[in-house]
Amino acid sequence: MKARETWKNRSVFIMAAVGSAIGLGNMWRFPYVAAQNGGGAFLIPYFTALITAGIPIMIIEYGLGRRSQASANVALGAIKKPLRFVGWLSIMAAFGINIYYCIVLAWVINFFIPVFDITSWAVDITSSKIHFFTDILHLSDGPWDFQKIYLPLLIGLFLAWLAIWAIIKSGLGKIGKILLFTVPVPVVLVLILLVRGLTLEGATVGLNYYLSPEWSKLANPQVWLAAYGQIFFSLSVGFGTMIAYSSFMPKNTELPNSAAITSFGNCAFSFLAGFAVFSVLGYFAFITNVPIEQVAQAGPSLAFIVYPAALAQLPLWIKFFAFLFFLTLLLLGIDSAFSLLETVSTALSDKFNFSRTKATTIVALTSFLLGIPLSTGAGLYWLDIIDHFIMNYLITITAIMECIAIGWVMGTKKFTAEINKNAEIRIGFIFSFLVKFLTPLILITTIIISFIREIEKPYEGYPFSAIMVLGVGTLIFLIICALLLSVFKNDYEEEQENGIRLSNGGN
Ligand code: TRP
């Protein structure tokens, strides 16, 4: 067996995990999800989700990686062979997500030239909308209306893949050095945007909208669903990524506190990014006399349409701040994207004994090719549907299965004893209760509600054929891949699973 690479020390590991967690989800997704789901009141379901699902599952993934020193497939397979499939399922979810995550990076890359001309296309929300949907995305009329492959998007996609391929191929030592740049720099940039935002006139209008609690929303189950979804997406748990990352740590590494640092760090950053975003939106509402509700209800297009329009109204240094904003998005996204690539390529190496270069190249090339349809005029629709199905179903299922694997198959007694060996914070009864009962229960409820909603009304009114082919079809495709990978050619995988069983005294 090859000697496993390791992170240089615990700080590099935590930084890698934080880099994976902090991504587009924090700056682009969190603010509008919070605003749409009760503003300040959303923080209650959000933190409940963090404590009851985010942190426990983060600890599970860290523990699985550390004890097995291997990727999700082997880590779960070592507990019981059939669980290998669950491991592959989470890895396939990472594979699927990365295909569209990189197209979002391609959009961001496509903003770098027009950003210097922002005052001409972001005169108001309408013109900024045209710029994004027509000039950048060339958005067509529906998911089956491709128009053609748009070269700038394809080039952006290629550049994104080239960058993360080159980074991951170079090994953990280099990745550690790159993280020194991609983790702290966007945090500093957000702080700069934050100070700029807070010192603008009208900023409080935005902050009031962001933070003032609508308590009645707490009675709405959809708000709770949104909170759990946001936690999973934002913490990168359920994808096997944290299993892969912690598999590069020595067996005596501290875990529960590391999990808490990663999770709270990520959520604190989201909260902060919300201030940077809403202060600027408040200013925009103030300057243009548009009610803040209208400005902020933009949903996913907030970062690409409304925020640029708001930046274009700044009194000074418009291009500088606009450039800073897109640079922040790029740096935030890049370490999440390469962690997703690492998840899949480490799993291939662990299965077939491939070299790092070989595994990385195979995964990056396949994913790039599969992402090409997203560089057509139908790209946004494809992204939207695929994201909805992976995030609402696949990840919830893998998370439930991870809880069952630890809570019921392996047993929380054995697991907590392992975790507590080198722990700064000891876990015990509460963790066991969550993992065995509460977390799976909440997640099962979540998935049932999502499913009922799905049947009542096709997601976002897309044509039935698109939902079936792109949504359900993607799930079936990923499940079949996971099944094949867990059934065929298992010698090397099995050898490792047995090794783990022996070194951990039974399962
Ligand atoms: N957490 C990332 C973000 O906030 C996105 C993401 C979702 C992710 N799942 C992941 C990143 C799995 C790495 C691994 O943008």
Side-chain angles (χ1 to χ4, degrees), residues 17-29 93-94 97-98 100-101 230-242 245 266 270 332-333 335-341 343 387 391 395:
V18 170
S20 168
I22 296 188
L24 299 168
N26 303 63
M27 186 88 193
W28 152 77
R29 203 170 187 273
I97 292 245
N98 212 7
Y100 69 77
Y101 205 78
Q230 177 58 23
I231 282 292
F232 281 120
F233 187 87
S234 190
L235 292 182
S236 318
V237 293
F239 302 85
T241 301
M242 295 303 177
Y245 267 10
N266 173 70
S270 286
L332 284 176
D335 38 21
S336 300
F338 70 60
S339 75
L340 285 161
L341 173 58
T343 311
D387 171 70
M391 286 313 300
I395 290 312

Side-chain angles (χ1 to χ4, degrees), residues 404-441:
I404 294 176
I406 296 301
W408 298 96
V409 184
M410 179 177 184
T412 42
K413 228 192 206 138
K414 183 172 156 76
F415 186 78
T416 46
E418 265 181 39
I419 295 286
N420 284 338
K421 254 182 228 153
N422 301 290
E424 283 162 11
I425 309 169
R426 293 169 69 82
I427 57 168
F429 171 74
I430 299 180
F431 175 83
S432 306
F433 172 72
L434 288 174
V435 168
K436 282 177 102 151
F437 303 104
L438 191 66
T439 313
L441 197 75

Side-chain angles (χ1 to χ4, degrees), residues 377-399:
L380 179 65
Y381 304 122
W382 279 47
L383 180 155
D384 192 15
I385 299 173
I386 296 173
D387 171 70
H388 174 79
F389 277 83
I390 294 184
M391 286 313 300
N392 280 280
Y393 298 103
L394 207 50
I395 290 312
T396 321
I397 290 175
T398 56

Side-chain angles (χ1 to χ4, degrees), residues 440-456:
L441 197 75
I442 295 173
L443 296 179
I444 291 170
T445 318
T446 307
I447 210 167
I448 293 175
I449 299 179
S450 304
F451 189 66
I452 294 174
R453 253 192 339 188
E454 201 76 55
I455 297 177
E456 282 171 355

Side-chain angles (χ1 to χ4, degrees), residues 276-350:
V277 170
F278 278 96
S279 55
V280 174
L281 297 185
Y283 167 74
F284 183 65
F286 176 78
I287 286 278
T288 57
N289 251 325
V290 179
I292 182 75
E293 291 76 18
Q294 226 166 318
V295 174
Q297 278 298 334
S301 56
L302 196 78
F304 296 103
I305 295 174
V306 185
Y307 202 74
L311 289 175
Q313 298 292 333
L314 289 181
L316 278 174
W317 291 22
I318 295 176
K319 289 174 192 171
F320 170 76
F321 283 108
F323 177 79
L324 223 58
F325 175 65
F326 285 103
L327 185 65
T328 310
L329 286 184
L330 187 68
L331 292 176
L332 284 176
I334 201 112
D335 38 21
S336 300
F338 70 60
S339 75
L340 285 161
L341 173 58
E342 177 70 35
T343 311
V344 189
S345 66
T346 306
L348 282 196
S349 309
D350 283 351

